[in-house]
Amino acid sequence: MADISVDPYATAGRSVDLEGHAPIAAVSDYIDLLKPRVMSLVVFTGLTGLALAPGEIHPFIGFVAILCIAVGAGASGALNMWYDADIDAAMHRTARRPLPLGRVEPSEVLTLGIVLSVLSVLAMALAVNYVAAALLALTICFYLFVYTIWLKRRTSQNIVIGGAAGAFPPLIGWAAVTGTIAVEPIVLFLIIFLWTPPHFWALALYRKDDYARVGVPMLPVVAGTQSTRRHIVGYTAAMVAISLAPLPLGFAGWIYGIVAVASGAVFMGMSVRLWRLGDGRRADGKDAEKAARDVFAYSILYLFGLFAALLIEAIR
C-alpha cells in the first residue's frame, strides 16, 4: 500500500483530500483546539483554590465555577491557536494541530474562542459572583493580548510575564467561594508563576530550533542554552522556597510539607544536573537533551503533586 501522509508544514487554512474535497473536522479536532492537557492543570489548580477557601459554596455552584474555569481555559487555547496558526504550521511540535492541518477554518477557531470566552465569563458572573468573573475575564485577556499577541514574538521574557495567565485559576477558585482575594491564593499564584519559566524553558531547550525557525525569541534562542539552564536553576530555587510558604501561613499541614520538600528537592536536583551537563557530555548533546526532557516531564508531575497534597488536606 502506498504511503500517504499529510505535510506537517501545511499552511493554515482548509486543506483538501486526494479528491479535492475539504476535510470534515471531527469532534476530536475541536477538543484539541481547547488544549485539554493544559486545561486539566488549570482546572485542578482552580479546584484546589476553591477547596482551600474558607466558607461554604453549594456543590452545584462550585461545579459551575470549575466548569467556567475549564471553558475559559479552552477558549484561551483556541484563541492562542487562531493567532499563532502561522508559526504553529512551521514547528514540529505544533504542525499537526487542527488549524495548521486545515481541518478547521481560522474563522471557526476565532468564533469558537470568542463565544466560549463570553459564555464562561457571563456564566461565572450570573451563577457565581462578579469578582470570580472579572478574574476569569482578566485571565483570558491576559493570555491572548498580553502573552500571545504582545509578548510571545517580541521578548525572551514572554513566558515569564505571560505565564501569569496560567497562575490565575487558584485566585478564581478562591474568589468563587469568598468573593475576595487573600494571601493564600496569592501564594498559590506565585508558585505557578515561578513554576512556569523552568517548565517552558526546559521544553524550549530541546525545541530551540523550532522556535528559532519561526522567530519566537525564547530564552535559549536569544541568550543561549547555558544561560537558560542557569535561569532554570534560579527560578526553580525561588519556586521551591515559595512552595514552603503555605506551612508557616497555616493553610497546609504535614502531608503537604512532606510532598513540597521531597518533590522540591528532586526538582532542584534535576535542574542543577541539567545546568552542570552544559551542552552534553557526548558530542551530540543527547545527555543534555534528555535532561531537559526529564525536567519538563517532571515539572508537570511536580505541580500536580503539590496541589494534590493541598487538595487532600483541604477535603480530609
Side-chain angles (χ1 to χ4, degrees), residues 54-282:
E56 299 291 334
I57 186 171
H58 190 281
F60 178 74
I61 301 301
F63 171 78
V64 171
I66 297 302
L67 179 62
C68 289
I69 292 174
V71 173
S76 298
L79 292 170
N80 172 267
M81 287 195 191
W82 164 75
Y83 188 82
D84 280 348
D86 58 334
I87 61 176
D88 280 353
M91 295 178 67
H92 285 96
R93 186 173 68 89
T94 56
R96 300 195 66 82
R97 286 174 172 174
L99 191 50
L101 287 179
R103 298 186 64 85
V104 291
E105 292 281 4
S107 59
E108 294 174 329
V109 182
L110 177 60
T111 300
L112 177 68
I114 292 174
V115 169
L116 292 182
S117 296
V118 172
L119 288 178
S120 63
V121 173
L122 279 179
M124 186 75 87
L126 295 175
V128 187
N129 62 61
Y130 292 120
V131 175
L135 287 170
L136 180 59
L138 175 63
T139 301
I140 297 170
C141 291
F142 196 96
Y143 188 69
L144 174 62
F145 296 109
V146 177
Y147 170 65
T148 302
I149 296 178
W150 179 32
L151 296 173
K152 184 173 182 179
R153 307 188 193 205
R154 288 177 171 82
T155 172
S156 61
Q157 296 300 301
N158 47 18
I159 205 62
V160 177
I161 304 169
F168 279 112
L171 286 167
I172 301 171
W174 183 282
V177 179
T178 66
T180 62
I181 297 174
V183 172
E184 293 89 340
I186 291 176
V187 169
L188 302 185
F189 172 94
L190 289 174
I191 291 172
I192 302 173
F193 180 76
L194 293 171
W195 168 87
T196 303
H199 169 70
F200 277 102
W201 283 336
L203 169 68
L205 279 172
Y206 65 87
R207 293 293 191 182
K208 178 170 65 73
D209 293 343
D210 251 1
Y211 288 111
R213 182 186 301 115
V214 297
V216 174
M218 292 296 284
L219 193 62
V221 177
V222 175
T225 55
Q226 194 61 4
S227 176
T228 301
R229 295 184 185 99
R230 288 196 298 270
H231 279 76
I232 287 175
V233 171
Y235 272 88
T236 301
M239 175 198 66
V240 171
I242 290 295
S243 74
L244 302 178
L247 298 169
L249 289 174
F251 67 97
W254 65 269
I255 296 176
Y256 174 82
I258 292 174
V259 172
V261 171
S263 61
V266 173
F267 203 152
M268 195 70 229
M270 293 177 69
S271 298
V272 171
R273 178 178 180 274
L274 174 64
W275 167 61
R276 293 183 65 184
L277 276 173
D279 287 321
R281 293 174 181 169
R282 301 197 322 235

Side-chain angles (χ1 to χ4, degrees), residues 21-35:
H21 301 298
I24 299 175
V27 173
S28 60
D29 291 319
Y30 291 102
I31 293 174
D32 288 343
L33 289 171
L34 305 182
K35 295 188 176 182

